[in-house]
Amino acid sequence: MSEILSSLPAPSWFAHPGARTWTCPPAPADVHGFHAALPDYTPTPLTELPSLAAELNVGRVFVKDESCRLGLPAFKALGASWAVHRTLAERAGHQVADSQEADGQVTLVTATDGNHGRAVARMARMLGQRAHVFVPQGVHPAAAAAIAAEEARVTEVAGNYDEAVRRAAAEVDASEAAVLIQDTAWPGYERIPGWIVEGYATLFAEIDAQLAAVEAGSPDLVAIPVGVGSLAQAAVTHYRSGSDSAAPAALLSVEPDSAAGVLTSLTRQAPVTVTTGETTMAGLNCGTPSTLAWPYLRDGLDAAIAVTDADSARAADDLAALGVPSGPCGAASLAGVRAALTGDGASTRRAALSLGPASTLVLLSTEGTAANPQHLEN
């Protein structure tokens, strides 16, 4: 169980010097092939932005633009599709004969800050299943409406993301015709979150091919927006699996300063739960790291940083001006590298990440502007 910290100033930076020497097994090889066979699959763009390279004093900067992934405005469809596929195949193999499933349907249940829930709902609709999605306070009404438009039942929870997860899990416990498709893990619930993480491997396989196509080699730094840490776990799995003969990439996680559960846990070297506040980075508004992700984050991340809503908003505006439509969560990666590579103490942080004027950076823009719309006052 993670310790609960109700009031603790969020740290702003953490570095782990030994992260690039840590290794782990790779993701399954068949994930990319599964996604490539789906309708509407196409690799998302990897856009080079020379003006950002000049600003950050590095060689090349690329942004992985996840604003349209399998017809949805965020990367989450990769994990949800693989996990739902594996879950339904397993249930079919067990030939569940419960009377509640006489119509051949199950209910896919999840909690979400927006993107994951819509992806689960889309898969349920495509495959003729039902979906029930729990959303916490702070999720934009347009994001909740987009989930409902996928023919899902949407339940709004009077609490934060962790409370929505508890409600979703309780819903499944009460019904044998329901299954939880959650992108965070806790003791006793790790198999399906593990499949979700595996699904994200396709994103990194695409990056490898796209960098090779422009003779950019392996990245020197990958910046990853972080909520519970599942995408960061997938990044660690990819870049720490020992499959590349080049020097391993430095990995930087980026969180809102109002929901820095991973950064605080890394600082304390133990998983903790922090009380979250309001943030326009709604998809990152998570206070508890996934138990499945935690060992990978602890051992495989080079650094973690927290950014403000203002940092993210400026980054989103700048990316839009450069032709990359990025929501607040996706723009967090640019806000994070700016915070790490510029300002007071930048030379120390650059050294911790082993970055120089010839380095190649990859920023993961995990959502488009339609994923979690910002409130007008922001």
Side-chain angles (χ1 to χ4, degrees):
M1 296 293 291
S2 61
E3 180 183 358
I4 299 175
L5 303 177
S6 60
S7 60
L8 185 75
S12 59
W13 169 258
F14 172 85
H16 175 205
R20 269 161 281 173
T21 65
W22 186 74
T23 60
C24 62
D30 55 342
V31 176
H32 189 193
F34 164 78
H35 286 129
L38 292 177
D40 301 325
Y41 170 79
T42 187
T44 55
L46 186 70
T47 303
E48 184 166 11
L49 299 176
S51 63
L52 291 184
E55 173 193 338
L56 298 168
N57 190 27
V58 295
R60 305 178 79 171
V61 172
F62 297 86
V63 176
K64 183 63 168 167
D65 176 5
E66 292 290 308
S67 61
C68 186
R69 170 64 78 175
L70 293 171
L72 293 175
F75 77 103
K76 292 284 191 175
L78 291 173
S81 60
W82 178 249
V84 170
H85 163 71
R86 293 293 305 269
T87 298
L88 295 180
E90 183 176 82
R91 289 177 74 91
H94 290 165
Q95 296 181 332
V96 177
D98 186 87
S99 59
Q100 298 180 69
E101 289 187 63
D103 59 0
Q105 288 185 316
V106 297
T107 300
L108 307 179
V109 180
T110 195
T112 187
D113 282 319
N115 296 329
H116 171 71
R118 186 176 178 187
V120 171
R122 171 66 63 86
M123 288 301 300
R125 182 170 64 82
M126 287 176 56
L127 298 173
Q129 308 298 328
R130 295 178 290 260
H132 187 180
V133 181
F134 291 79
V135 298
Q137 289 178 332
V139 169
H140 195 283
I147 297 170
E150 301 290 347
E151 302 176 9
R153 176 185 173 191
V154 177
T155 297
E156 297 184 6
V157 174
N160 62 12
Y161 173 80
D162 288 347
E163 178 60 25
V165 171
R166 285 190 285 270
R167 287 284 305 278
E171 178 78 5
V172 170
D173 288 343
S175 173
E176 293 183 7
V179 60
L180 187 66
I181 308 293
Q182 196 60 56
D183 56 346
T184 189
W186 53 87
Y189 181 75
E190 294 183 332
R191 191 176 191 195
I192 290 174
W195 288 337
I196 290 173
V197 172
E198 288 176 0
Y200 299 150
T202 292
L203 187 154
F204 299 102
E206 291 176 0
I207 290 173
D208 286 348
Q210 290 166 322
L211 289 176
V214 295
E215 300 182 346
S218 299
D220 297 292
L221 173 72
V222 179
I224 313 135
V226 168
V228 299
S230 295
L231 180 62
Q233 179 187 348
V236 170
T237 299
H238 184 79
Y239 292 106
R240 302 288 180 258
S241 60
S243 58
D244 195 334
S245 60
L251 302 177
L252 171 69
S253 72
V254 186
E255 293 172 281
D257 60 356
S258 59
V262 168
L263 175 54
T264 304
S265 297
L266 291 170
T267 302
R268 293 173 66 89
Q269 283 295 285
V272 300
T273 294
V274 300
T275 300
T276 58
E278 292 187 6
T279 174
T280 55
M281 293 172 274
L284 309 182
N285 196 17
C286 308
T288 306
S290 166
T291 58
L292 189 66
W294 168 245
Y296 292 80
L297 309 182
R298 178 195 62 209
D299 296 332
L301 285 177
D302 292 82
I305 200 163
V307 298
T308 67
D309 281 2
D311 295 331
S312 172
R314 177 196 165 206
D317 288 344
D318 291 344
L319 287 170
L322 294 170
V324 178
S326 185
C329 298
S333 57
L334 173 56
V337 296
R338 280 174 163 166
L341 304 187
T342 63
D344 293 341
S347 60
T348 298
R349 294 189 294 271
R350 294 175 81 98
L353 297 168
S354 302
L355 297 181
S359 297
T360 296
L361 277 56
V362 172
L363 316 181
L364 305 187
S365 179
T366 49
E367 64 175 15
T369 53
N372 278 316
Q374 299 186 59
H375 293 283
L376 294 178
E377 64 268 23
N378 292 318

